[in-house]
Amino acid sequence: MKKLTILFLLLNAALFPQDIKENINRAIQSCFGKDIQVQYEKVKIEQNLKKEIETKVSQKFFSDEIYFYKIFNDKSLKGFALLDNVYGKSLPITFIVMFDTNGKILCSEIIKYREPYGGAIQSKEWNSQFIGKDDNSEFAVGKDITGISGATISVHSVTIGIKKLSILIKSLLKK
Amino acid sequence: MKTIFLLSVTFLLTQSLFAQEFDFFEPKTTIGGYGELHYNNEKIGDAPSKAIWDFHRFVLFFGYSWSEKWSFKSEVELEHNFVKNGQGELELEQAYVNYHHSDLFGFNVGIILPSIGLINEFHEPPLFFGTERPVYHNLIIPTTWFGSGASIYGNYNGFDYKLTLFETLNSDKFSLSQGIRPGRMKGFKPDASRFLYSVRLDYLNFPGLKIGGSFSFNNAKGDSTSIDITITEFHAKYDANNLTAVFEFGNINYNSGELRASRGYYFDLGYNIASIPDWNSKIIPFVRYSDINTAAETLSGGNSEKLYHFTEWMIGLSIKPIEQIVFKLDYSERTRKSDDRKSKFLNLGVGYMF
């Protein structure tokens, strides 16, 4: 029975790889370290705030809900993470941004990229450009963010997506 | 029996939970496009100057994603606004089914663009300097080069590869003045007994830089000729810190006939001066130097290798109020090497992409 269960779970995992979930855990741990506890909830973005942010950055939210993670180490709050999606040329790009307790970006990662072109956007080198930015930063491709040749649309979408989350986290912190 | 039942329930429950929680994909139709209107004024040698308006390209993209892995992409293009008596063109430039397995591996098959040079696959007007595409991308690497084929692509640790099996060129049409350009079959009933084989490798993990090259082989054939060709090209583009620098070099060898090699290179250098007063728009003056010889080596040799050799200086301006819209202005002087004949070009343009 035990053997059968293990075989079954392996088969289950192989057929439907939970790559998004695994990538989220890996991204949070690589940013905050392994010795952490994570609380997670789906947060509904308040309508007025949603509209205000969308107008400010000229990009819509992927949905009304956002994935909000609180990261603790020995019961002390270390920071936050927000998981969201933006559209590339035609498919969603799933990404996560990790913040310190003041809403400054600590790390950002592409969790899942689905487009055939522009995969280089997942590189550590490109994502490291966002470290230290917050809601007051410019987030302008070609100025404070370097583009990627062949990934123009994805680079713009993700950059604005990260800007959106930097503004949103400040509102979530006030609550 | 009970065990199997329990496992099945667990399986279904866990799958639907995992699937729902992080399943962001929805089947979706995508529409996009680009276009460019040009004013071209040219003065060739001592002939009087000639000026025209030309809505050079109007392009619509249609795509559909059935799943995260399977999608369809297409690009239909109207050139020169009107089609009549061999003037203007209506083209299906892309129409392929794409399977994207992972970053490491995907493939597509249909009407595709071979991955040769910087511009053939990424040819929207805001992405290059100059109203017209660089002359290198007309005479050495003939863009837009499209046709029937299949490719395998992927990305690993910043290395981006593509292997392409593509329709053959028609060797009867190769010319001293235009190299392989007239030999493109454009997906119109090409000879399926032979292929162009192409491999391209780029490195992308240095922010702002794309550097790479490609090698292609085709045993091209027409009704009266059969010519093996190889295309070797190197490309690099740096676009960061308000600086844009581009360099491309290409060489084509032909194993029989009068034409034995076509060769050319160009470089661009531009700087976004709007960054000095910290404006959000981009104002980029640039300079380009091109050296093109479509008949760099011939069977006859001697002076015949100078007839189609020219160099060109261009100065210009790209103004981008937003990233997807560009206004262009450029002036260039072309010098033919054989007799020092000078040609002058003044171009204006507006382009967009979405």
Side-chain angles (χ1 to χ4, degrees):
Chain A
M1 176 64 197
K2 248 186 189 172
K3 271 184 187 168
L4 191 66
T5 313
I6 290 167
L7 183 72
F8 169 79
L9 286 174
L10 282 175
L11 189 73
N12 193 352
L15 281 176
F16 298 92
Q18 301 157 44
D19 51 351
I20 289 193
K21 214 169 177 179
E22 280 166 17
N23 287 349
I24 294 167
N25 290 338
R26 197 190 32 71
I28 292 175
Q29 287 188 354
S30 95
C31 194
F32 290 99
K34 296 219 158 143
D35 192 17
I36 49 167
Q37 301 82 47
V38 180
Q39 270 180 22
Y40 146 69
E41 60 178 318
K42 262 189 190 179
V43 176
K44 197 167 164 60
I45 311 164
E46 193 235 318
Q47 275 307 309
N48 285 342
L49 176 66
K50 184 168 172 261
K51 265 198 185 143
E52 188 190 314
I53 297 175
E54 287 176 344
T55 312
K56 193 168 179 184
V57 305
S58 301
Q59 187 188 65
K60 293 210 164 200
F61 275 98
F62 189 79
S63 80
D64 290 342
E65 289 181 324
I66 199 132
Y67 294 69
F68 185 37
Y69 298 80
K70 287 181 185 166
I71 292 98
F72 297 91
N73 178 334
D74 284 341
K75 289 182 184 168
S76 87
L77 184 64
K78 287 290 163 198
F80 308 95
L82 287 171
L83 178 86
D84 198 10
N85 291 272
V86 286
Y87 270 104
K89 194 157 187 170
S90 54
L91 294 164
I93 303 168
T94 309
F95 66 104
I96 192 165
V97 185
M98 275 109 359
F99 301 92
D100 68 11
T101 48
N102 297 315
K104 212 175 255 273
I105 296 176
L106 292 172
C107 319
S108 80
E109 265 198 46
I110 306 294
I111 294 297
K112 186 157 191 184
Y113 191 78
R114 300 164 177 87
E115 302 272 358
Y117 286 105
I121 198 170
Q122 299 168 94
S123 74
K124 272 205 168 72
E125 289 80 358
W126 188 77
N127 279 281
S128 64
Q129 300 180 91
F130 295 95
I131 296 171
K133 292 195 186 297
D134 61 17
D135 59 331
N136 291 317
S137 303
E138 197 163 7
F139 294 94
V141 178
K143 285 173 89 178
D144 58 336
I145 299 298
T146 296
I148 298 170
S149 191
T152 312
I153 294 173
S154 297
V155 161
H156 273 267
S157 298
V158 173
T159 301
I160 302 300
I162 295 177
K163 182 178 187 175
K164 232 162 49 188
L165 299 189
S166 303
I167 301 170
L168 179 67
I169 192 77
K170 283 289 169 87
S171 304
L172 294 174
L173 289 179
K174 282 179 200 157
K175 286 181 181 173
Chain B
M1 190 64 205
K2 197 177 158 195
T3 315
I4 291 171
F5 175 74
L6 276 174
L7 286 175
S8 305
V9 170
T10 318
F11 179 84
L12 288 172
L13 271 178
T14 50
Q15 283 325 310
S16 60
L17 278 177
F18 290 144
Q20 277 170 16
E21 193 177 9
F22 290 107
D23 189 5
F24 301 115
F25 172 80
E26 282 178 15
K28 189 171 176 268
T29 303
T30 314
I31 295 173
Y34 75 89
E36 46 193 337
L37 171 67
H38 299 164
Y39 166 86
N40 305 120
N41 188 323
E42 61 175 38
K43 185 171 176 4
I44 311 284
D46 293 329
S49 66
K50 195 174 86 181
I52 56 163
W53 288 105
D54 181 16
F55 201 105
H56 196 146
R57 296 183 178 91
F58 174 79
V59 177
L60 291 175
F61 299 129
F62 287 98
Y64 189 76
S65 305
W66 291 280
S67 69
E68 285 190 359
K69 294 196 182 327
W70 290 99
S71 61
F72 167 77
K73 296 190 183 353
S74 72
E75 179 180 336
V76 177
E77 175 159 338
L78 174 63
E79 287 199 2
H80 309 296
N81 211 53
F82 187 71
V83 182
K84 195 182 177 186
N85 300 337
Q87 304 274 310
E89 284 183 57
L90 181 64
E91 297 165 340
L92 183 62
E93 285 203 347
Q94 297 189 69
Y96 60 85
V97 169
N98 198 96
Y99 175 76
H100 187 72
H101 182 76
S102 64
D103 288 335
L104 283 176
F105 166 76
F107 72 83
N108 50 46
V109 57
I111 300 294
I112 59 169
L113 307 170
S115 190
I116 302 174
L118 285 174
I119 291 185
N120 200 43
E121 287 178 287
F122 305 104
H123 47 241
E124 291 87 343
L127 303 182
F128 58 87
F129 287 143
T131 306
E132 300 292 345
R133 293 176 188 170
V135 66
Y136 171 89
H137 282 284
N138 185 309
L139 295 173
I140 304 299
I141 308 299
T143 66
T144 309
W145 188 1
F146 59 92
S148 311
S151 58
I152 294 171
Y153 64 85
N155 182 299
Y156 180 71
N157 258 351
F159 287 97
D160 193 281
Y161 74 87
K162 199 170 225 181
L163 307 169
T164 303
L165 189 68
F166 191 69
E167 68 181 33
T168 184
L169 291 159
N170 181 348
S171 56
D172 286 355
K173 302 276 178 71
F174 294 163
S175 80
L176 293 164
S177 62
Q178 293 188 82
I180 60 172
R181 184 177 182 84
R184 292 173 300 165
M185 299 293 290
K186 302 184 176 184
F188 186 77
K189 299 180 180 174
D191 176 358
S193 66
R194 51 197 62 233
F195 295 101
L196 179 135
Y197 306 88
S198 182
V199 52
R200 187 266 295 148
L201 186 68
D202 284 336
Y203 184 70
L204 291 158
N205 266 13
F206 186 87
L209 181 70
K210 177 179 191 169
I211 187 164
S214 73
F215 178 79
S216 310
F217 169 79
N218 178 212
N219 51 348
K221 193 174 180 302
D223 291 332
S224 56
T225 58
S226 183
I227 303 174
D228 290 355
I229 65 155
T230 57
I231 308 168
T232 311
E233 62 86 19
F234 168 81
H235 52 255
K237 182 173 185 178
Y238 179 75
D239 196 354
N241 302 315
N242 296 304
L243 186 72
T244 306
V246 179
F247 177 73
E248 291 194 72
F249 168 84
N251 181 76
I252 304 169
N253 282 328
Y254 310 76
N255 82 335
S256 73
E258 169 66 6
L259 180 58
R260 289 306 169 99
S262 305
R263 199 171 297 140
Y265 67 87
Y266 76 101
F267 67 80
D268 288 346
L269 200 58
Y271 189 80
N272 174 25
I273 55 171
S275 64
I276 300 165
D278 203 27
W279 293 342
N280 281 330
S281 303
K282 285 183 179 167
I283 302 170
I284 314 175
F286 70 90
V287 58
R288 168 178 297 153
Y289 180 76
S290 307
D291 186 309
I292 304 291
N293 191 351
T294 49
E297 287 171 34
T298 62
L299 189 61
S300 319
N303 277 341
S304 69
E305 295 177 352
K306 291 178 187 159
L307 281 177
Y308 300 99
H309 186 197
F310 66 85
T311 56
E312 183 178 287
W313 276 103
M314 177 183 279
I315 51 165
L317 192 65
S318 276
I319 300 172
K320 293 185 184 179
I322 60 172
E323 202 55 36
Q324 294 84 1
I325 293 178
V326 64
F327 294 90
K328 297 177 175 183
L329 164 69
D330 53 79
Y331 173 79
S332 53
E333 272 191 19
R334 190 177 290 183
T335 307
R336 189 161 70 182
K337 289 297 185 188
S338 57
D339 57 2
D340 249 7
R341 184 187 75 175
K342 294 231 180 333
S343 303
K344 295 167 184 173
F345 304 87
L346 176 71
N347 297 313
L348 291 163
V350 57
Y352 62 87
M353 62 188 278
F354 61 94

